[in-house]
Amino acid sequence: MADVAVETSELRKTYTNSSGVTEAVAGLTLRVREGELFGLLGPNGAGKTTTIGMLTTRIAPTGGTARVGGADVVRDPIAVKRRIGVVAQYNNLDRQLTAHENLEFRGRYAGLPAREARRRATELLERFGLGSRAKAKINEMSGGQAQRVMIARALMHRPDILFLDEPTSGLDPQTRVNLWDTLREIRDGGQTVVLSTHYMEEAEELCDRVAIVDHGTVLACGTLAELKASTSLRTVLTLTYDGDPEKIVAQAGQLAGVAGAEVADNRLRVFTPAPEGVLAVLVSMGQDAGLPLADVRVVRPSLETVFLALTGREYRD
């Protein structure tokens, strides 16, 4: 399809060593549309970095297929590289060069004429608020500044698709939020952005769609609303009445649109996919039973609750 920027089918990567066989990516299938900011969300060891490595031709797949910008990553890696920009998980800038030189040399490597490479480097550094740091060496920059240089360098040849692997890991909150704004601007300019992250807030704030990945496979994929709807999670209404809610818990559990009701800590908890309609009925029900409402709390499903429901709560190394 013309509107597909990245497409994989049963993509696999297996490593064999003295410890045995490790399946880092186990039949991963996904489709990224042109012009969207797409997130790969998963815990440590989920296979996100390996997936990015295969999509950017750095890692050879063991099986399955992947096409990026219409080109097969195995059969035509050069065509893929011409279409993509890559921001690695760790700082891989040349520390012996200035910020401007890092960009200029990348432009020349990508085939830009010398004058165009210099002009483009200056333009991007200004765009990312680094014009005054153009002559600074990388080791003289903060982590956030270096990260912006890495993104600018990846954009030197105007790639159709930008891949970023955990781009805000280790950054302070202010720098992270500023980088989010930068990524939105890139997406709004028409480029496709594929972002791997383990930050729930980052995926929720940035991404048009998210694929939740674990153990090398896609567990769920869609918009935030679609992901919430795809699980059995419900909004939780916690109502505190001026009196004992045991009087009405059985009746509350029988209401249309209620998946369950219980009393905990002298509060009525109701689980429902349609909280707005149910809440009004519960308030009225309490009044009829002589239980004026004292307080109500509404907790809706979030990306974090969907993520934990799909991947579990155990610690990951």
Side-chain angles (χ1 to χ4, degrees):
M1 294 174 62
D3 62 346
V4 176
V6 178
E7 187 171 21
T8 72
S9 177
E10 291 298 317
L11 189 63
R12 298 179 181 275
K13 181 60 183 180
T14 302
Y15 293 101
T16 304
N17 51 38
S18 57
S19 302
V21 176
T22 301
E23 199 166 31
V25 175
L28 186 142
T29 298
L30 58 83
R31 177 179 290 176
V32 180
R33 301 164 185 156
E34 289 182 353
E36 74 175 336
L37 205 163
F38 186 91
L40 291 173
L41 175 66
N44 293 330
K48 304 185 303 295
T49 294
T50 303
T51 298
I52 293 288
M54 288 189 286
L55 294 177
T56 57
T57 76
R58 185 174 58 84
I59 297 175
T62 304
T65 61
R67 299 182 68 83
V68 177
D72 188 286
V73 298
V74 174
R75 297 177 180 176
D76 201 354
I78 293 176
V80 172
K81 290 176 181 177
R82 287 172 177 161
R83 292 167 169 79
I84 65 173
V86 183
V87 180
Q89 187 171 1
Y90 302 105
N91 185 339
N92 60 1
L93 296 166
D94 193 323
R95 297 176 185 273
Q96 303 303 311
L97 301 178
T98 66
H100 194 281
E101 288 169 340
N102 266 278
L103 269 63
E104 182 182 346
F105 290 179
R106 173 57 62 88
R108 294 302 308 279
Y109 178 77
L112 296 181
R115 180 178 295 180
E116 171 63 12
R118 289 193 295 270
R119 187 201 64 77
R120 177 72 172 157
T122 299
E123 172 191 298
L124 284 170
L125 289 174
E126 290 289 346
R127 174 181 172 184
F128 286 97
L130 294 167
S132 63
R133 305 291 287 160
K135 295 183 179 180
K137 295 287 184 65
I138 299 305
N139 57 10
E140 298 171 345
M141 293 184 154
S142 68
Q145 289 174 335
Q147 194 74 347
R148 279 183 280 162
V149 173
M150 290 173 64
I151 296 174
R153 183 184 63 177
L155 296 173
M156 276 294 294
H157 60 300
R158 296 181 175 85
D160 297 323
I161 306 162
L162 179 65
F163 289 92
L164 304 104
D165 190 9
E166 304 277 4
T168 63
S169 181
L171 297 181
D172 62 81
Q174 291 84 357
T175 302
R176 180 177 296 137
V177 170
N178 286 332
L179 279 175
W180 289 355
D181 290 339
T182 297
L183 294 178
R184 289 189 189 99
E185 290 175 9
I186 293 170
R187 185 271 316 277
D188 292 344
Q191 288 175 287
T192 304
V193 179
V194 178
L195 164 80
S196 79
T197 183
H198 62 266
Y199 293 125
M200 244 69 61
E201 182 187 11
E202 184 161 88
E204 198 159 12
E205 284 288 329
L206 277 181
C207 298
D208 301 310
R209 289 192 305 137
V210 174
I212 297 179
V213 180
D214 199 15
H215 302 297
T217 190
V218 175
L219 302 180
C221 182
T223 64
L224 182 58
E226 289 169 343
L227 289 173
K228 290 177 182 178
S230 70
T231 69
S232 59
L233 297 174
R234 301 290 185 264
T235 294
V236 181
L237 300 176
T238 302
L239 299 96
T240 303
Y241 295 99
D242 188 9
D244 187 358
E246 287 285 0
K247 295 180 181 180
I248 60 172
V249 62
Q251 186 181 356
Q254 298 299 314
L255 292 175
V258 170
E262 64 183 21
V263 174
D265 298 326
N266 208 36
R267 296 179 176 87
L268 176 66
R269 293 206 306 170
V270 175
F271 305 87
T272 174
E276 289 77 10
V278 170
L279 180 57
V281 176
L282 291 171
V283 173
S284 177
M285 184 184 298
Q287 291 175 338
D288 293 343
L291 299 173
L293 183 66
D295 185 52
V296 62
R297 183 182 179 213
V298 181
V299 179
R300 299 179 185 274
S302 66
L303 183 57
E304 182 173 12
T305 58
V306 174
F307 179 83
L308 292 174
L310 291 171
T311 65
R313 295 173 177 266
E314 72 273 13
Y315 290 108
R316 302 295 180 93
D317 295 328

